[in-house]
Amino acid sequence: MGEVAIFLFKWILFLCVLSLFSSASTNESEDGDIIDCIDIYKQPAFDHLALRNHIIQMTPSHEATIDSKAVSRNSTMDEKPNMILTSQVWRKNGTCPDGTIPIRRILEKQLRNYRLSEEYGRKGPSFPNQIKKPNDHGDSNNINVNRSFAILLTYGLNYNAAKADVKVWKPYVEHDDEYSTSRIALKTGPYDDYDSIEAGCIADSSKTTGCFDLICPGFVQTSNVIAIGGVLRSIPVPGEIPWIMTLYIYRDPMSNNWWLQYQQGINIGYWPGDIFRGLSMTAETVQWGGEVYSSRIGHPGHTSTEMGSGELGSPDPRSGWTKRMRIRDNSMILKYPEWVSRYSDDYDCYATYLLWEYMDDPEFYFGGPGKGWQSWRCT
């Protein structure tokens, strides 16, 4: 089973090109990762054809943390619940110098299972949905052949930001070619041709599922304190205070770049608006929740890879969850969405639960063990 790491992902057609670059300094983490401090102007983002002459936006033109005071219901994003913020293992040895960014080194052995280097760092392809028997809970009767979702979503408006607290856990991953994520996402476009930007934490075998980091060009990093794909420190055990990461993806109204903010006020970098088609201005839908990728989904012999914490989604503190979920629409006010819907396409394996009645701030629980004794109907 691999480690849990921060990831980001952008869905758009381009090839991953492995860059050869020299580092200003190197940080060897106790978890085995090697973090190179690379000149900010020599990062892999500029291997993207659309970014060859790109001028780096060092800071957002709009201070997004101000938005935290404008929320719906009776709570604010400034209230800190009984949770612990995550940090990264490599930071024990300091940070990268100013003018550089940290990049997790990809070793030769991590590329050996790929036919082409261009495959490294890309999500596996999606295949058309297939029909499954409906249940009694109103869940989807369509399932992807190679991935499962258990999410809360909202759509119908023009969204330019999404935010949430995401519980960090270390789910079991059964096979080398599988992964499990807890994330937030903004998407635009039809099922078979869409743009998507996502950020969250991922557990995989670190062998064949991809990089989910800066090796694939497209994301411009500006922070010298966060390594995308770096392992998180001190994943909790059941019964202890939960560890969380606060993630905020928002579009800069001046540059149209989509910024990623981590915890409270750390702007990691951005996806340039120029590389998108549908997401060049706004998103059509926002999602919170989990995803499991496996070639064994949609076929007999379902994977035992867990989603969330491995517990079926329910209002149980042991379950995976996202809390303090927010969107920003054309009103430019960060708020809980007026309308949301649960969606689970593999409901016998990964479940969802929205706790909203009598709640000042609704909470979304999701996840499951895949094929296991808790989910005996998952086949």
Side-chain angles (χ1 to χ4, degrees), residues 212-279:
F212 293 89
D213 54 23
L214 294 184
I215 294 301
C216 292
F219 184 84
V220 179
Q221 180 157 341
T222 57
S223 171
N224 66 336
V225 300
I226 299 296
I228 302 296
V231 174
L232 297 174
R233 184 193 302 177
S234 302
I235 305 303
V237 297
E240 292 189 354
I241 297 175
W243 289 71
I244 67 164
M245 60 167 62
T246 299
L247 296 169
Y248 188 15
I249 301 175
Y250 63 97
R251 184 177 64 85
D252 187 311
M254 300 299 293
S255 65
N256 291 331
N257 296 328
W258 290 88
W259 279 84
L260 173 62
Q261 188 179 103
Y262 173 68
Q263 306 302 35
Q264 295 298 323
I266 302 176
N267 288 304
I268 299 179
Y270 59 90
W271 293 270
D274 294 341
I275 64 177
F276 294 106
R277 292 172 296 171
L279 278 172

Side-chain angles (χ1 to χ4, degrees), residues 88-127:
Q88 292 189 308
V89 176
W90 76 277
R91 290 281 305 281
K92 288 183 178 181
N93 298 327
T95 62
C96 283
D98 291 341
T100 67
I101 62 167
I103 295 183
R104 176 172 163 264
R105 184 180 298 181
I106 304 302
L107 303 178
E108 181 181 355
K109 64 181 180 180
Q110 294 172 284
L111 296 175
R112 289 176 182 167
N113 291 317
Y114 283 82
R115 291 170 300 170
L116 298 171
S117 62
E118 290 89 346
E119 295 178 355
Y120 191 83
R122 298 179 68 90
K123 273 191 173 183
S126 294
F127 298 103

Side-chain angles (χ1 to χ4, degrees), residues 10-17 48 118 122 216-219 275:
K10 180 190 64 63
W11 183 276
I12 197 169
L13 295 177
F14 58 81
L15 296 180
C16 292
V17 181
H48 195 296
E118 290 89 346
R122 298 179 68 90
C216 292
F219 184 84
I275 64 177

Side-chain angles (χ1 to χ4, degrees), residues 36 39 68 86 92 164 176 195 211 231 253 285 294 329 345:
D36 291 313
D39 187 312
S68 64
T86 57
K92 288 183 178 181
D176 291 348
D195 286 348
C211 57
V231 174
T285 183
S294 170
D329 55 23
D345 57 4

Side-chain angles (χ1 to χ4, degrees), residues 145-148 175 177-179 292-299 302-303 305:
V145 175
N146 60 353
R147 66 186 73 232
S148 287
H175 297 286
D177 60 345
E178 299 176 342
Y179 64 74
V292 166
Y293 175 84
S294 170
S295 60
R296 297 155 188 86
I297 292 174
H299 305 285
H302 195 285
T303 180
T305 289

Side-chain angles (χ1 to χ4, degrees), residues 124-141:
S126 294
F127 298 103
N129 290 357
Q130 66 181 28
I131 304 298
K132 68 180 297 186
K133 294 180 180 180
N135 69 353
D136 298 325
H137 305 291
D139 292 301
S140 171
N141 65 337

Side-chain angles (χ1 to χ4, degrees), residues 40-57:
I40 192 171
Y41 293 99
K42 297 180 180 179
Q43 61 180 291
F46 303 117
D47 289 334
H48 195 296
L49 294 177
L51 300 179
R52 293 295 171 86
N53 298 313
H54 182 76
I55 298 175
I56 299 178
Q57 181 183 3

